[in-house]
Amino acid sequence: MNEQTAVKEAAPAQTRLPDAQTVTEVQHYTDRLFRFRVTRPQSLRFRSGEFVMIGLMGDPDPKTGRQKPLLRAYSIASPSWDEELEFYSIKVPDGPLTSKLQNIKVGDEIILRPKPVGTLVHDALLPGKRLWFFSTGTGIAPFASLIREPQTYEDYDEIILTHTCRDVAELKYGADLVESIKQDELLQELIGDGLNKLRYYPTTTREESPRMGRITELLKDGTVFSDLGIDGISKETDRAMVCGSIGLNNDLKEILEGYGLSEGANSEPAEYVVEKAFVG
Ligand code: A2P
């Protein structure tokens, strides 16, 4: 799903937003990235890692005055136990939705269709020992949910979150999150020492930082493994979830298949799963 293939549904003009939720927090990171939190519908149940359709009303039709909801798929970045919902978004200057969405303020309403779906869920993977979360850009969103999910730490001995961005400022959302969850009292209570299993591996491609390069290249030349002190990726022990651009997803699929891992789905769990970072 992208800006061009968005779902549009007819709705009468002048009505209250359908499936309205209220914005409770907004934080801008760069001129390309921001995060926001909204109220959660009481009836909404989801599995950490899933996405929902969210959006705003589009501009009135010049002829009829009617407005249609403008919806896009967004991964829920908060865990399933959180009382609010969090989203992490790109700002596309001429994007029909994100050019408006980037202006939301606390107290504003957004539309949220309460039908969560997705493949980046624990159910789509066979049991394993080490879980990799490979992300680029806003593709970190589903993993922001999963690294706050107790099951992640119950099911695996080691969790490695890789995040590749163009520059250091774009890493801030993930860096702050990893730092904050290690200090979070509620998470300590839920997950306990398990949080120590989480390893964070940020890289940049267009600005100097302690670790530079695309994650795909760093896997191919073995840098990731020597940095983390592990032997490599194996079908027996390693499981992976991938979320980023189409290019990243395809390149990583090839790399993971090269290690003997095969792609899973809700209906047929296997060793890795992939989902596109939707808007951007
Ligand atoms: P690069 O700077 O070399 O293009 P974007 O902001 O465009 O969504 O990209 C986010 C990050 O993903 C960038 O660091 C970008 O690196 C990286 N990236 C893009 N395509 C791939 C790919 N096919 N494999 C690995 N990393 C990629």
Side-chain angles (χ1 to χ4, degrees):
M1 190 79 49
N2 59 34
E3 294 275 332
Q4 278 74 44
T5 58
V7 175
K8 292 182 183 177
E9 295 167 28
Q14 311 301 328
T15 51
R16 187 172 181 265
L17 285 185
D19 293 326
Q21 297 301 322
T22 306
V23 176
T24 59
E25 198 180 328
V26 184
Q27 183 178 1
H28 293 269
Y29 291 91
T30 67
D31 57 3
R32 293 208 315 146
L33 294 165
F34 71 116
R35 111 186 141 91
F36 57 97
R37 291 173 72 84
V38 303
T39 52
R40 176 172 175 171
Q42 272 199 332
S43 58
L44 178 66
R45 298 276 171 274
F46 69 97
R47 295 176 296 174
S48 291
E50 288 187 315
F51 66 87
V52 285
M53 303 299 292
I54 66 172
L56 295 169
M57 277 303 193
D59 293 331
D61 182 292
K63 286 193 190 130
T64 63
R66 282 167 70 92
Q67 288 175 279
K68 292 174 184 171
L70 207 50
L71 303 174
R72 301 287 181 277
Y74 270 81
S75 290
I76 301 173
S78 47
S80 60
W81 52 263
D82 199 327
E83 62 189 22
E84 292 183 339
L85 298 173
E86 181 173 310
F87 299 97
Y88 184 48
S89 180
I90 193 119
K91 308 173 193 176
V92 183
D94 54 357
L97 177 62
T98 62
S99 61
K100 293 179 196 289
L101 196 63
Q102 64 177 290
N103 299 318
I104 53 169
K105 305 259 177 313
V106 172
D108 288 352
E109 287 183 342
I110 66 155
I111 303 165
L112 188 146
R113 295 274 189 257
K115 293 192 190 76
V117 284
T119 58
L120 302 180
V121 291
H122 285 302
D123 296 344
L125 292 177
L126 293 169
K129 294 204 179 311
R130 182 162 49 217
L131 179 58
W132 297 81
F133 293 138
F134 292 110
S135 63
T136 56
T138 56
I140 194 174
F143 306 136
S145 172
L146 283 155
I147 61 170
R148 291 182 269 185
E149 173 59 53
Q151 190 187 350
T152 302
Y153 302 89
E154 284 158 20
D155 288 0
Y156 294 91
D157 297 339
E158 189 177 18
I159 296 100
I160 300 170
L161 169 65
T162 84
H163 191 204
T164 302
C165 292
R166 294 180 187 187
D167 55 40
V168 174
E170 294 187 347
L171 290 173
K172 186 170 166 55
Y173 174 72
D176 284 358
L177 183 68
V178 169
E179 195 49 45
S180 71
I181 69 171
K182 296 203 174 187
Q183 321 290 337
D184 189 297
E185 278 180 26
L186 181 56
L187 273 171
Q188 292 289 350
E189 216 170 279
L190 283 170
I191 302 167
D193 288 347
L195 283 177
N196 297 330
K197 298 174 180 179
L198 176 62
R199 308 182 72 183
Y200 172 55
Y201 193 82
T203 82
T204 57
T205 50
R206 301 191 195 184
E207 187 188 5
E208 197 77 37
S209 76
R211 176 58 59 213
M212 294 198 60
R214 289 183 165 194
I215 192 66
T216 42
E217 299 308 316
L218 299 170
L219 282 166
K220 282 187 211 156
D221 69 10
T223 306
V224 178
F225 306 126
S226 52
D227 282 348
L228 296 173
I230 55 184
D231 289 342
I233 291 179
S234 91
K235 183 184 166 81
E236 282 66 43
T237 53
D238 292 79
R239 302 293 173 259
M241 297 193 188
V242 181
C243 188
S245 63
I246 302 262
L248 177 275
N249 291 355
N250 289 338
D251 291 354
L252 260 176
K253 273 168 91 139
E254 201 180 312
I255 292 171
L256 293 171
E257 303 259 341
Y259 287 119
L261 278 61
S262 48
E263 186 169 0
N266 278 275
S267 55
E268 201 174 338
E271 290 92 23
Y272 78 90
V273 280
V274 178
E275 205 143 71
K276 184 169 168 276
F278 295 98
V279 180

